[in-house]
Amino acid sequence: MDTVLTIAGFDPSSGAGVTADLMVFAAHGLFGTACITALTVQSTLGVRACHPVDPFVLADSLACLCDDLPPKGIKIGMLGTESAVAAVCDFLERMRASGSAVPVVLDPVVRSSSGRELLEKSGLDLLRGRLLPLTDWVTPNRDELRRLTKSNGESDSEIVQLASALQSGGRPLHVLATGGDSNPPNDLLVLPDGEPHLLQGEHVATSSTHGTGCAFSSALLSRLVLGDAPLTAATQAKRYVTEALRRATPVGHGHGPLAHLLPRGRPC
Ligand code: PLP
């Protein structure tokens, strides 16, 4: 079984963060490991508090996991603080210097859909300047894209321009601007050579939307590790999320989780 790694926050309600990522990896037949960047206090009703994990623990966990269980791909989600971003950059720089070319997918989580800021401002600056050039894919929603580029844009052509603006340095970067909060929920993929692709989405009427961005980026990483070409991986990840939204049944009193596994824990 191939091993993949998620570096993200812990959501005790399991809609988002590492627990959701691990379910997505399992649904793709991959073995997931996790490095937790922050403990959040939240339920389906929203985020109450965030407690960052000591960056020394992050660095130690990443080194420990990679020695024994080298990942075939890495997904990065909520980082929370500037020092967490720095610890992840140090780790990726060492990994790249050793010749590793495993795919890295960055979901630049800035704010929860319930409205809580999940990354401090200095952390966003470091993410933009140092982390982005170390990654292969970035999957911002429209709000995250505007914050990353410090620019405005609404139309498809403006979104493509903002996405291209992120591709100025470092590794060849695939920018996938997600549109789950628009109707229709179309995504825009801009390949490293600047070629844009529209990925048409289908609106699913459900309140079980918590962690949609986490699920998409983890499904995308899974498809890349399983060998899909970029456009196929993005299309299949979108299809996976649409199905997981469609299958979801209400959990909790707010925005519940997607359905990643088969009902009643049916074994495969
Ligand atoms: N990652 C973690 C650990 C979170 O706690 C959250 C939100 O609370 C997110 C990501 C973003 O998820 P969503 O956009 O569904 O709120």
Side-chain angles (χ1 to χ4, degrees):
M1 229 178 170
D2 283 333
T3 295
V4 284
L5 167 66
T6 171
I7 305 172
F10 177 67
D11 164 5
S13 69
S14 286
V18 296
T19 43
D21 295 340
L22 294 175
M23 283 189 263
V24 176
F25 296 152
H28 286 84
L30 296 168
F31 180 69
T33 57
C35 174
I36 296 178
T37 56
L39 300 177
T40 68
V41 179
Q42 68 177 299
S43 67
T44 64
L45 294 170
V47 181
R48 255 189 230 176
C50 296
H51 301 276
V53 168
D54 184 332
F56 171 78
V57 177
L58 296 191
D60 204 22
S61 301
L62 291 171
C64 176
L65 282 174
C66 281
D67 280 349
D68 186 42
L69 297 156
K72 292 268 171 66
I74 300 173
K75 172 251 159 93
I76 302 170
M78 174 191 169
L79 292 170
T81 62
E82 179 185 357
S83 47
V85 179
V88 173
C89 290
D90 291 345
F91 163 72
L92 289 180
E93 275 167 7
R94 266 197 306 279
M95 197 187 83
R96 293 303 191 203
S98 75
S100 168
V102 300
V104 175
V105 174
L106 170 64
D107 179 17
V109 176
V110 174
R111 183 167 42 187
S112 73
S113 36
S114 59
R116 173 124 192 167
E117 294 297 313
L118 296 178
L119 178 61
E120 62 190 17
K121 188 179 168 315
S122 56
L124 181 60
D125 293 338
L126 193 63
L127 181 148
R128 186 190 297 115
R130 194 172 159 213
L131 183 53
L132 209 48
L134 291 163
T135 67
D136 306 285
W137 285 77
V138 63
T139 61
N141 61 30
R142 305 289 155 105
D143 178 49
E144 289 160 348
L145 184 61
R146 285 189 280 266
R147 292 225 213 173
L148 276 171
T149 55
K150 298 184 181 165
S151 309
N152 285 320
E154 291 290 341
S155 67
D156 283 357
S157 61
E158 286 168 333
I159 295 293
V160 169
Q161 268 181 8
L162 299 192
S164 307
L166 295 178
Q167 294 174 316
S168 49
R171 299 172 68 77
L173 184 65
H174 302 72
V175 183
L176 204 152
T178 61
D181 35 13
S182 316
N183 197 359
N186 294 338
D187 297 348
L188 274 160
L189 168 63
V190 181
L191 296 173
D193 63 4
E195 190 186 332
H197 292 270
L198 179 74
L199 308 182
Q200 286 186 328
E202 185 190 324
H203 178 71
V204 179
T206 176
S207 61
S208 302
T209 53
H210 176 44
T212 307
C214 301
F216 178 73
S217 49
S218 298
L220 175 62
L221 177 73
S222 300
R223 298 300 315 203
L224 292 168
V225 167
L226 292 171
D228 282 355
L231 185 55
T232 309
T235 308
Q236 291 299 336
K238 192 161 178 61
R239 183 173 300 170
Y240 172 87
V241 169
T242 305
E243 280 310 307
L245 285 166
R246 200 175 276 136
R247 277 203 310 263
T249 49
V251 171
H253 298 91
H255 289 283
L258 283 62
H260 298 298
L261 304 173
L262 293 172
R264 305 261 166 259
R266 226 183 292 146
C268 49

